[in-house]
Amino acid sequence: MTYHPKSEFMNVMMTRGFLADCTDYQGLDEALSSGVTPAYIGFDATAKSLHVGSLIQIMMLRWLQKTGHKPITLMGGGTTKVGDPSGRDTERSLLTPADIDANIAGIKQVFAAYLTYGDGATDAMMINNAEWLDGLKYLDFLRDIGRHFSINRMLSFESVKSRLDREQSLSFLEFNYMILQAYDFLELNRRYGCLLQMGGSDQWGNIVNGIDLTRRVLDHEIYGLTSPLLTTSDGKKMGKSQAGAVWLNAEMLSPYEFWQFWRNTTDADTGRFLKLYTELPVDECERLGALQGSDINAAKVILANEVTTLLHGGDAAAKAEATAREVFEQGGVGDDLPTLTLNADDLGDGISVVQLLVRSGLAGSGKEAKRLIAENGARLNDEPLTDAGLFMDASALAQPIKLSAGKKRHALVQLG
């Protein structure tokens, strides 16, 4: 990429690693340079929280606002009823309107940490696409919008093609998703003057569809910009940990566990993640990411503190770091470790240590827990745990116990 942008936002996207592709670099850069540009990213409400995989999109909206433009967080109250086939092998389970509303309420909490909402020129807006999708008249929509879509072209998009190539079912409901997403862009442009849609690179086809539709129906010039689909240096999808999804809402994942996820970043990813997920200057991110040996651990603590502060606040980040220091450096148990509290019914006549590893989130299954023990990866109160048949009764749990999986993952187990 040899294009040198004039706008601050495009410069940030390119220098910090957010930019995968753009429909018209120069046209978008001109629009961004000439005044406040409204831009949106869509988020379907399939769970009560977004996870770390969505954080790159949230940071793009944050930088958009910080550089003087207007972010729109589009909640998919309508499209969640259909389900996006992109990157999926199976059809999404359908949610009720009440489920979707509850999920949107949960997701709103996260956006409030990153964006300033209000009525000002650069204040963020949260819009629900049910505003225009719920009231659509099917025959009118087919006549006015559906005629602009070629089935031949829709079949060529990767999200559809990959499902068909594997002979996996793709329902007509899901097939309509790309038409609805294109229509979202048209409506946001018509109602709110939105000029830009952003998303992951898997959304490229959907974004281009919206641009083409808006040109055909309204004769307006609008733009698309995508971010790279992030995987960690060892090839894993961003947003997953050994214990499952890394949720952004505190009630679904504690700030300590969130902090720990970033502290466990691999050496090779540290510099890149500092540029994407913090607001430290690019030069500082590159300096920290280039550190070697044990010095890189200090960079990972900075990464964990910066990202946790943005989402959960400075106090939560400081508390997480203090807990980590107590657990790792001083051999204590820490105040903020993930805690499994058992009652008498849970305990019965005793509970196996394998079950405790699974229920505390340190192992994904009994089989994984047994393998962890067999490979000397589990510890009980900082002592090697070698007996997969060990049972714990009320007397063994009279004091809280500390379970560990590897060197970095810990949990407390106590009686309620």
Side-chain angles (χ1 to χ4, degrees), residues 5 37 72 90 92 159 222 241 266 306 308 310 317 349:
T37 300
I72 298 173
T90 56
R92 286 192 192 279
S159 60
I222 56 177
S241 72
T266 61
E306 291 287 327
T308 305
L310 279 174
D349 294 328

Side-chain angles (χ1 to χ4, degrees), residues 341-351 359 392-394 397 414-416:
T341 302
L342 302 173
N343 58 36
D345 291 338
D346 293 321
L347 195 59
D349 294 328
I351 188 168
R359 290 189 57 180
M392 313 286 287
D393 59 16
L397 292 167
Q414 65 184 16
L415 289 179

Side-chain angles (χ1 to χ4, degrees), residues 15 27 99 107 114 121 229 241 297 302 314 331 335 345 393 405 408 416:
T15 57
D99 290 335
I107 291 169
Y114 290 90
L229 286 183
S241 72
N297 290 331
I302 291 169
D335 296 330
D345 291 338
D393 59 16
K408 298 178 180 178

